[in-house]
Amino acid sequence: MIPDREYVFASSFIKAAEGKGTPAERLSRFREASDRDSLRSTAAEAFKVGAENVYDEAINSAVELVKSALPDFSAVVPLLYKYDCANIKTAVKCKIRGISPEGLLFSCGTLPASAVVNAAESSDFSKIPGELGAAAAEALKTYQKTGEVRSIDLILDRACFADMKKAAEESGCELTGRIVRTRADGTNLLTAMRISAEGLSPDTAASLFERAFVPGGNMPLSSFCSVENGVEDAEKISARAAGDTASVIKTAAKCPDADAAAKVIDEEIISLCMKYRFKPFGPEVAVSLIVVREAEITNCRIIEAAIGTENREDTVRERLRAAYV
């Protein structure tokens, strides 16, 4: 891993170009927007991007900024695999339905969107590296055999987290590794909470969870379900939490539902980055920019969805990811 001092220029450049105004000022302006168009216009101005596809451009501009400045981009790469995964899912499903994925793909993955589309159209994923390439081929084959669309998501999500874990370890950046572990254990907890809420039989619940379980965290499959009991309740799962993700899993497990738990997990990841807020240089500066930018975009989407609804402020206040402010 490149010594932190090699990031001096890049860190200064990134901090100077992260956006217009402070994060708190931007959030306040977003919340004041009266309608969808004014919100997107405000976001475009804040992130210095075009307003036509503002959220995609906002995250892509942050990725391009750090990519152009960093002497070593490897600490950021694991955070981008989810966009590759989402693009592959979309391209495969569009192929199945016989429609174009144009306008539905992210621009900020590690793979060009055009390469993903070409792979899906030709059913040849051999040029997609890591676990995702093999998983894409498996997902398409499984769908063709079973007709189950959900299998595409389950297979690709598992591969995505496997790639994230490997890339995080190779990067040598502890913050990136911690984010991946938190996201993996958190994802599995949310899956368990959602499956439990469906009221399925123990066998069915356990079978579904085993297919949905993702690697990369501190907690093994057995922490979440068993053949005898099916998917365990959140209290039992939290009692088995381990390592550096134990605290957030215990807190999230106390939430009344998976949506509330998702906010706890997101804010934990943001808080991990905030510990490096005043670090003068190092890869953590770039990682934090990406995490915060994603949180700001999530907040814009939350605000946008609440515009025009009853009790808008209460809904927004309850759902906002604001640990970066």
Side-chain angles (χ1 to χ4, degrees):
M1 185 176 179
I2 293 178
D4 280 1
R5 63 179 179 275
E6 297 295 328
Y7 291 86
V8 172
F9 169 76
S11 298
S12 299
F13 180 70
I14 290 167
K15 288 182 177 180
E18 67 174 355
K20 184 176 180 180
T22 66
E25 290 169 345
R26 292 196 293 269
L27 181 56
S28 178
R29 292 183 62 202
F30 298 154
R31 296 183 70 170
E32 291 169 358
S34 58
D35 55 44
R36 174 184 180 276
D37 289 341
S38 63
L39 172 59
R40 293 196 170 202
S41 177
T42 300
E45 180 186 1
F47 299 127
K48 304 174 185 178
V49 298
E52 183 175 349
N53 196 8
V54 59
Y55 301 141
D56 182 58
E57 287 190 36
I59 182 61
N60 192 51
S61 69
V63 171
E64 291 301 318
L65 171 66
V66 299
K67 187 182 294 185
S68 67
L70 292 183
D72 179 3
F73 190 61
S74 63
V76 177
V77 167
L79 306 184
L80 306 184
Y81 282 138
K82 65 181 180 182
Y83 298 107
D84 291 329
C85 184
N87 284 348
I88 294 171
K89 289 178 185 178
T90 299
V92 169
K93 292 175 184 177
C94 285
K95 172 188 170 61
I96 290 169
R97 296 178 60 190
I99 61 176
S100 170
E102 184 177 355
L104 302 176
L105 304 178
F106 291 103
S107 305
C108 55
T110 67
L111 302 168
S114 58
V116 173
V117 173
N118 290 339
E121 289 179 347
S122 65
S123 300
D124 180 4
F125 301 95
S126 59
K127 294 183 179 179
I128 293 180
E131 298 282 343
L132 275 174
E138 179 189 351
L140 183 56
K141 185 181 296 185
T142 301
Y143 170 78
Q144 291 169 339
K145 182 183 296 184
T146 66
E148 183 190 29
V149 175
R150 179 170 57 182
S151 64
I152 297 171
D153 295 332
L154 297 178
I155 292 169
L156 284 166
D157 284 343
R158 187 168 60 247
C160 180
F161 273 92
D163 282 344
M164 288 167 60
K165 177 184 178 181
K166 180 180 179 182
E169 291 172 348
E170 290 175 348
S171 77
C173 179
E174 174 53 29
L175 174 59
T176 302
R178 182 79 178 273
I179 290 172
V180 170
R181 291 190 294 275
T182 301
R183 184 61 69 197
D185 282 342
T187 295
N188 287 328
L189 174 65
L190 297 179
T191 299
M193 293 176 75
R194 289 177 175 132
I195 291 176
S196 293
E198 292 182 13
L200 304 173
S201 68
D203 286 350
T204 301
S207 176
L208 179 56
F209 185 85
E210 286 175 17
R211 295 176 64 201
F213 178 80
V214 298
N218 293 322
M219 301 174 68
L221 175 63
S222 58
S223 295
F224 298 91
C225 72
S226 65
V227 175
E228 298 80 16
N229 302 323
V231 176
E232 302 284 11
D233 61 41
E235 183 179 352
K236 288 184 178 178
I237 292 171
S238 68
R240 299 167 181 168
D244 54 14
T245 62
S247 178
V248 66
I249 293 301
K250 290 178 184 297
T251 301
K254 296 177 183 177
C255 292
D257 54 49
D259 289 341
K263 176 181 176 178
V264 169
I265 293 162
D266 286 348
E267 294 227 303
E268 168 69 9
I269 291 171
I270 298 168
S271 296
L272 292 174
C273 293
M274 291 302 96
K275 295 176 182 179
Y276 297 92
R277 175 177 285 181
F278 300 110
K279 186 179 180 183
F281 47 77
E284 297 86 0
V285 174
V287 171
S288 298
L289 171 65
I290 300 300
V291 169
V292 171
R293 180 64 57 89
E294 289 177 333
E296 291 189 276
I297 293 168
T298 295
N299 285 340
C300 284
R301 293 187 186 278
I302 289 169
I303 294 166
E304 185 171 311
I307 288 175
T309 63
E310 189 176 358
N311 300 322
R312 167 183 167 174
E313 279 305 306
D314 290 340
T315 301
V316 168
R317 189 181 308 109
E318 182 179 303
R319 297 185 60 199
L320 280 181
R321 276 67 167 161
Y324 64 87
V325 174

